[in-house]
């Protein structure tokens, strides 16, 4: 029994060169969408890794703070007032600020984000912090983020080799006593963690007690949302009271709506969709035009317009799937290249893979539906 080959497949494969061009165009559009969405998600994820790592339930920040990139200090007395609530177990002030790190090899300065914490309590759920807390009690000692960019110097490599690693931070000589892992972001290429005392030594212009983040831990069983709502009325309005999840969303929303970066990546994705739609339309339009007489013959022998529409949409679906496969493979490779070059978390996710596949199919279906307008002019009377 012979197997019937779909008419749509026969039409697509009749012109091999045209098919290759079409698949290349779809793959290019997919790569463009993958890269834009990948960078956008890396933007959001990298800038909230610190927020996600906080070992607490509620966060206090100055109500004028927009993001970690532009934090405003507030009095830690606001934070300690939260201890009046029976549901609060402990509070932990966190200092943060950007300063200049001088590469110990080249001497070139580079901005680095520095956190100051009480070394008696670990407030970060990050690899390398817990085991190195006691070292921060020594003067002029810091922990260095091993995932920082290479422009800071071979700090992690030298430390792993047992070398004595020192550097100049804000014209002050400091010693790297340990490594932790946080990662670069769009807001910071590198990170340091030190004690609150050392932080105030480095940032001599900062006033003791003016903190940037207040972290609150609740007792087991406490209702986080209820305590958060109460604190919003209990504390003065100069502080913003957020749950940990709201703090993450707060930072993410800043990068999505208050900066041009999020808009640019979204616009790039839309442009990729439009480019792919135009390419597929040109291919399908040419297919319909070249076979217009054949379509008219099919109409003459009784095939309906809907059947011919099905053939065109089948071609569009085949193009979408066949073009998506090389686009997906190339995107994974380019993610690896981008990750190695920028140290940003550019990874393929199943959600993004499915979303781009759906966009590709939709893109091809739209092109097919537009190309169908030409098919309506296939009049059987024209060939008889």
């Amino acid at each position: 029994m012979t197997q019937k080959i779909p008419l749509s497949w026969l039409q697509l494969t009749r012109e091999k060169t045209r098919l290759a061009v079409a698949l290349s165009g779809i793959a290019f559009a997919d790569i463009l969408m993958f890269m834009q969405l990948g960078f956008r998600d890396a933007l959001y994820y990298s800038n909230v890794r610190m927020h996600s790592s906080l070992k607490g339930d509620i966060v206090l920040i100055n109500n004028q703070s927009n993001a970690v990139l532009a934090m405003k200090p507030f009095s830690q007395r606001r934070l300690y007032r939260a201890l009046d609530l029976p549901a609060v177990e402990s509070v932990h002030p966190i200092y943060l600020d950007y300063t200049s790190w001088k590469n110990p090899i080249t001497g070139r300065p580079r901005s680095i984000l520095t956190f100051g914490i009480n070394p008696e309590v670990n407030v970060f759920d990050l690899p390398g912090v817990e085991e190195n807390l006691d070292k921060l009690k020594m003067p002029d000692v810091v922990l260095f983020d091993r995932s920082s960019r290479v422009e800071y110097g071979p700090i992690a490599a030298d430390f792993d080799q047992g070398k004595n690693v020192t550097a100049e931070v804000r014209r002050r000589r400091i010693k790297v006593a340990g490594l932790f892992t946080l990662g670069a972001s769009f807001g910071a290429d590198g990170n340091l963690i030190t004690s609150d005392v050392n932080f105030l030594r480095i940032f001599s212009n900062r006033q003791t007690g003016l903190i940037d983040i207040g972290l609150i831990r609740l007792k087991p069983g406490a209702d986080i949302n209820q305590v958060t709502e109460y604190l919003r009325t209990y504390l003065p309005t100069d502080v913003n009271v957020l749950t940990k999840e709201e703090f993450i969303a707060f930072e993410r929303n800043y990068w999505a709506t208050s900066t041009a970066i999020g808009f640019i990546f979204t616009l790039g994705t839309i442009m990729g969709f439009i480019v792919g739609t135009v390419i597929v339309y040109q291919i399908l339009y040419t297919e319909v035009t070249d076979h217009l007489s054949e379509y008219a013959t099919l109409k003459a022998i009784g095939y309906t317009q809907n059947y011919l529409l099905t053939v065109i949409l089948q071609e569009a679906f085949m193009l979408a799937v066949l073009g998506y496969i090389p686009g997906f493979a190339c995107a994974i490779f380019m993610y690896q290249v981008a990750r190695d070059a920028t140290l940003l978390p550019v990874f393929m996710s199943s959600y993004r893979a499915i979303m781009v596949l759906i966009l590709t199919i939709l893109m091809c279906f739209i092109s097919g539906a537009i190309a169908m307008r030409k098919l309506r002019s296939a009049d059987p009377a024209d060939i008889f």
Side-chain angles (χ1 to χ4, degrees), residues 69-113:
L69 197 64
M71 296 294 285
K72 304 292 184 182
F74 66 96
S75 175
Q76 67 180 4
R77 288 179 296 179
R78 304 285 189 263
L79 176 63
Y80 286 109
R81 279 191 64 181
L83 289 172
D84 296 342
L85 277 66
V88 174
E89 181 176 74
S90 60
V91 297
H92 309 281
I94 301 174
Y95 296 88
L96 69 86
D97 209 338
Y98 288 86
T99 189
S100 176
W101 166 284
K102 185 173 288 187
N103 186 316
I105 305 299
T106 65
R108 293 179 179 175
R110 194 174 186 87
S111 179
I112 194 167
L113 181 58

Side-chain angles (χ1 to χ4, degrees), residues 21-324:
V21 171
L23 297 182
S24 299
I26 296 171
F28 172 77
D30 283 345
I31 292 171
L32 184 57
M33 288 190 289
F34 270 126
M35 296 309 296
Q36 297 297 319
L37 291 172
F39 282 129
R40 188 197 66 178
D41 291 346
L43 162 71
Y44 297 152
Y45 176 74
S46 65
N47 283 295
V48 300
R49 278 190 291 200
M50 183 278 293
H51 306 59
S52 301
S53 71
L54 290 175
K55 300 173 71 173
D57 304 296
I58 299 175
V59 176
L60 302 186
I61 59 174
N62 190 311
N63 65 0
Q64 295 183 1
S65 295
N66 296 319
V68 168
L69 197 64
M71 296 294 285
K72 304 292 184 182
F74 66 96
S75 175
Q76 67 180 4
R77 288 179 296 179
R78 304 285 189 263
L79 176 63
Y80 286 109
R81 279 191 64 181
L83 289 172
D84 296 342
L85 277 66
V88 174
E89 181 176 74
S90 60
V91 297
H92 309 281
I94 301 174
Y95 296 88
L96 69 86
D97 209 338
Y98 288 86
T99 189
S100 176
W101 166 284
K102 185 173 288 187
N103 186 316
I105 305 299
T106 65
R108 293 179 179 175
R110 194 174 186 87
S111 179
I112 194 167
L113 181 58
T114 307
F115 299 93
I117 63 173
N118 182 351
E120 296 292 340
V121 182
N122 182 18
V123 297
F124 293 117
D125 185 15
L126 295 171
V129 176
E130 183 71 38
E131 55 267 37
N132 289 307
L133 273 181
D134 285 341
K135 299 176 182 177
L136 296 181
K137 297 176 182 178
M138 301 294 291
D140 297 324
V141 165
V142 301
L143 305 182
F144 183 82
D145 183 4
R146 66 163 60 248
S147 298
S148 299
R149 289 182 58 83
V150 297
E151 286 81 359
Y152 294 100
I155 308 302
D158 288 350
F159 185 86
D160 288 336
Q161 294 174 9
K163 296 180 181 179
N164 185 29
V165 181
T166 61
E168 185 179 319
V169 176
R170 206 178 181 90
R171 298 181 180 178
R172 189 179 186 91
R173 180 64 57 179
I174 56 93
K175 177 183 178 181
V176 175
L179 302 174
F180 71 100
T181 304
L182 175 57
S185 68
F186 279 76
D189 291 332
N191 305 280
L192 296 177
I193 293 178
T194 189
S195 69
D196 46 6
V197 175
N198 284 328
F199 181 94
L200 294 171
R201 287 195 184 109
I202 295 172
F203 297 89
S204 56
N205 60 323
R206 290 288 298 265
Q207 185 177 340
T208 305
L210 289 181
I211 62 175
D212 300 281
I213 297 175
L215 187 64
I216 301 175
R217 293 179 183 172
L218 301 182
K219 294 178 181 178
D223 189 318
I224 297 176
N225 293 324
Q226 185 178 7
V227 176
T228 302
E229 288 298 327
Y230 182 81
L231 283 172
R232 285 171 181 161
T233 59
Y234 181 71
L235 296 178
T237 57
D238 60 351
V239 292
N240 195 0
V241 183
L242 305 168
T243 65
K244 181 178 174 180
E245 288 70 25
E246 289 173 342
F247 187 42
I248 294 172
F250 179 82
E251 182 79 20
R252 181 187 176 100
N253 182 66
Y254 169 81
W255 289 97
T257 62
S258 300
T259 66
I261 302 177
F263 172 78
I264 289 172
F265 289 146
T266 302
L267 180 62
T269 304
I270 296 173
M271 292 302 298
F273 183 87
I274 294 174
V275 167
T277 302
V278 172
I279 292 173
V280 178
Y281 167 73
Q282 291 292 338
I283 297 298
L284 292 179
Y285 180 85
T286 305
E287 283 287 339
V288 172
T289 302
D290 290 350
H291 299 91
L292 203 58
S293 59
E294 288 89 340
Y295 284 126
T297 303
L298 289 174
K299 281 186 177 182
I301 62 178
Y303 285 94
T304 65
Q305 182 78 14
N306 288 336
Y307 170 78
L308 300 180
L309 173 61
T310 302
V311 172
I312 299 298
L313 293 182
Q314 284 177 350
E315 290 187 34
F317 181 78
M318 291 176 183
L319 286 173
V321 174
L322 294 176
Y324 174 83

Side-chain angles (χ1 to χ4, degrees), residues 344-356:
L344 292 171
V346 187
F347 294 95
M348 180 63 71
S349 66
S350 56
Y351 170 78
R352 192 182 311 127
I354 294 172
M355 183 173 68
V356 172

